[in-house]
Amino acid sequence: MASWYAIRARGTGAEVAIYDEIGAYGVSAKGFLAELGALPEGTPVDLRLNSPGGSVFDAVAIHNALKRHEGPVTVWIDGIAASAASYIAMAGDEIVMPENAFLMIHDPAGLVMGTAEDMRAMAEALDKVKGSLVSGYATKSGRTPEEVSALMSAETWFDASDAVAQGFADRLVEPVRIAANFDIGRFRNAPPGLAEPVEGEPEPDDESDGGEIEADEDTDEAAEGDQLSDAEDEQAASAATAQPPAVTPPPSGAPPDPAAIRAAAIGHARAVIDLCRLAGQPQMAGKFLEEDASLAEVRAALLAAKAEAEPEIAPHHPQPGRSSAARPWGEIVARTFKLKG
């Protein structure tokens, strides 16, 4: 599975880069927290963000881990910090934004199928998650919880100067070239200039002093991230039927465009994961991605798996059709005539 983050040791500290959807493609915050925890106490951390958001549970876990870190944490919003990514940014002792960067906060969202009780349980869970997010935003910005809640409900986008003015960032720096390849159009109030994807962020190089560390236990903050996520999951139903973006063939003799190839791969992976989630088989996504299965093959395999599955029937609910204990009418008529004579 591809990783959405990178942690690299520096001479005077560590650089943490999150340049993708948080918790995407089966990679949870578990490895991130293990690597962060392996840094020496007091290590200064530069966190570089360019992310549209992702799993709210992973974001809460990362936020809390950064707040516990003994060393200073400086957050640099290189392009956008939207949705769950903006909550991670609030863990910084200082938040720095180039003049052309953006930060967005909104209400968490999720998908649920089931009974009315299931719906009510999801609504209660979303309310609790929002309460936690409101607290983090209010603590950093100095605004009241009521003000923050209203800003979240309206899906509010801040440019750098607005973010500083409202307390969600601390310092402005010179503008930089925004490099992102995210579907910003999925959000309600995305600034028009960000709705068109631009050149993808280059992958961090492999020359790093620290390797990935696998954790043996889950964090206390992380929960069932697949059950509830933020605004990305709000579009899962439509993304399930969408085709991944096509890669435009390069002119004859020209080298392939790495950004276009990466965008197509990410789009395909996102569609596969959404299909598996909607089919109730999220654990199958990894196998499909490893085999590089097409969306048609994924749909066929999911339909076959569903056909083979045993139907889940609650015995205390009456089911349509004849019960297994019922006898055919012919047998009942024959038995009746036999008894009469």
Side-chain angles (χ1 to χ4, degrees), residues 63 67 89-95 134-143 166-170:
H63 172 97
K67 295 294 286 186
M90 297 300 106
D93 299 304
E94 183 182 28
I95 302 174
V134 166
S135 177
Y137 290 125
T139 299
K140 177 60 183 177
S141 66
R143 303 180 71 86
Q166 305 243 15
F168 293 97
D170 301 300

Coordinates of all heavy atoms in Angstrom, one line a residue, residues 63 67 89-95 134-143 166-170:
H63 N -3.3 14.4 15.7 CA -3.4 15.7 16.4 C -3.0 15.5 17.8 O -2.1 16.2 18.4 CB -4.8 16.2 16.3 CG -5.1 17.4 17.2 ND1 -5.0 18.7 16.7 CD2 -5.4 17.5 18.5 CE1 -5.2 19.6 17.7 NE2 -5.5 18.9 18.8
K67 N 0.4 16.9 19.9 CA 0.2 17.7 21.1 C 1.0 17.1 22.2 O 1.5 17.9 23.1 CB -1.2 17.8 21.5 CG -2.1 18.6 20.5 CD -1.8 20.1 20.4 CE -2.2 20.8 21.6 NZ -2.0 22.3 21.4
A89 N -3.5 20.4 11.6 CA -2.7 21.7 11.7 C -2.8 22.4 13.0 O -1.9 23.0 13.5 CB -3.1 22.6 10.6
M90 N -4.0 22.2 13.7 CA -4.2 22.9 14.9 C -3.3 22.5 16.1 O -3.2 23.1 17.1 CB -5.7 22.8 15.4 CG -6.7 23.4 14.5 SD -6.5 25.1 14.2 CE -5.9 25.2 12.5
A91 N -2.6 21.3 15.9 CA -1.7 20.8 16.9 C -0.3 21.6 16.9 O 0.5 21.4 17.8 CB -1.4 19.3 16.6
G92 N -0.1 22.5 15.9 CA 1.2 23.2 15.8 C 1.3 24.3 16.9 O 0.3 25.0 17.2
D93 N 2.5 24.4 17.4 CA 2.8 25.5 18.3 C 2.8 26.8 17.5 O 2.5 27.9 18.0 CB 4.2 25.3 18.9 CG 4.2 24.1 19.8 OD1 3.3 24.0 20.7 OD2 5.1 23.2 19.6
E94 N 3.2 26.7 16.2 CA 3.1 27.8 15.3 C 2.6 27.3 13.9 O 3.1 26.2 13.5 CB 4.4 28.5 15.1 CG 4.4 29.7 14.1 CD 5.7 30.4 13.9 OE1 6.7 29.7 14.0 OE2 5.7 31.6 13.7
I95 N 1.6 28.0 13.3 CA 1.1 27.6 12.0 C 1.5 28.7 11.0 O 1.1 29.8 11.2 CB -0.4 27.4 12.1 CG1 -0.8 26.3 13.1 CG2 -1.0 27.0 10.7 CD1 -2.3 26.2 13.3
V134 N -14.5 20.9 17.4 CA -14.8 22.3 17.8 C -13.9 22.7 18.9 O -13.3 23.8 18.9 CB -16.3 22.4 18.2 CG1 -16.5 23.7 19.0 CG2 -17.2 22.4 17.0
S135 N -13.7 21.8 19.9 CA -12.8 22.1 21.0 C -11.4 22.4 20.5 O -10.7 23.4 21.0 CB -12.8 20.9 22.0 OG -11.9 21.2 23.0
G136 N -10.8 21.6 19.6 CA -9.5 21.8 19.1 C -9.4 23.1 18.3 O -8.4 23.9 18.5
Y137 N -10.3 23.4 17.4 CA -10.3 24.7 16.7 C -10.4 25.9 17.6 O -9.7 26.9 17.4 CB -11.4 24.7 15.6 CG -11.3 23.7 14.5 CD1 -12.3 22.8 14.2 CD2 -10.1 23.7 13.7 CE1 -12.1 21.9 13.1 CE2 -10.0 22.9 12.6 CZ -11.0 22.0 12.3 OH -10.8 21.1 11.3
A138 N -11.3 25.8 18.6 CA -11.5 26.9 19.5 C -10.3 27.2 20.3 O -9.9 28.3 20.6 CB -12.8 26.7 20.3
T139 N -9.7 26.1 20.8 CA -8.5 26.3 21.6 C -7.4 27.0 20.9 O -6.7 27.9 21.4 CB -8.0 24.9 22.1 OG1 -9.0 24.3 22.9 CG2 -6.7 25.1 22.9
K140 N -7.2 26.7 19.6 CA -6.1 27.3 18.8 C -6.5 28.7 18.4 O -5.6 29.6 18.5 CB -5.8 26.5 17.6 CG -4.8 27.1 16.6 CD -3.4 27.2 17.4 CE -2.4 27.9 16.4 NZ -1.1 28.1 17.1
S141 N -7.7 28.9 18.0 CA -8.1 30.2 17.4 C -8.4 31.3 18.5 O -8.4 32.5 18.2 CB -9.2 30.1 16.4 OG -10.4 29.6 17.1
G142 N -8.9 30.8 19.6 CA -9.4 31.7 20.7 C -10.8 32.2 20.4 O -11.3 33.0 21.2
R143 N -11.5 31.6 19.4 CA -12.9 31.9 19.2 C -13.7 31.0 20.1 O -13.3 30.0 20.5 CB -13.2 31.7 17.7 CG -12.3 32.5 16.8 CD -12.7 32.3 15.3 NE -14.0 32.9 15.0 CZ -14.1 34.2 14.7 NH1 -13.1 35.0 14.6 NH2 -15.3 34.7 14.4
Q166 N -8.3 35.4 11.9 CA -9.3 34.7 12.7 C -8.7 33.8 13.7 O -9.4 33.1 14.4 CB -10.3 33.9 11.8 CG -10.9 34.8 10.7 CD -12.4 34.8 10.9 OE1 -13.0 34.5 11.9 NE2 -13.1 35.3 9.9
G167 N -7.3 33.7 13.8 CA -6.6 33.0 14.8 C -6.3 31.5 14.4 O -5.8 30.8 15.3
F168 N -6.6 31.1 13.2 CA -6.4 29.7 12.8 C -5.0 29.5 12.3 O -4.6 28.4 12.0 CB -7.4 29.2 11.8 CG -8.8 29.1 12.3 CD1 -9.7 30.2 12.1 CD2 -9.2 28.0 13.0 CE1 -11.0 30.1 12.6 CE2 -10.5 27.9 13.5 CZ -11.4 29.0 13.3
A169 N -4.2 30.6 12.1 CA -2.8 30.5 11.7 C -2.1 31.7 12.4 O -2.7 32.6 12.9 CB -2.6 30.6 10.2
D170 N -0.8 31.6 12.4 CA 0.0 32.6 13.2 C 0.9 33.5 12.4 O 1.1 34.6 12.8 CB 1.0 31.8 14.2 CG 0.2 30.9 15.1 OD1 -0.7 31.4 15.9 OD2 0.4 29.7 15.1

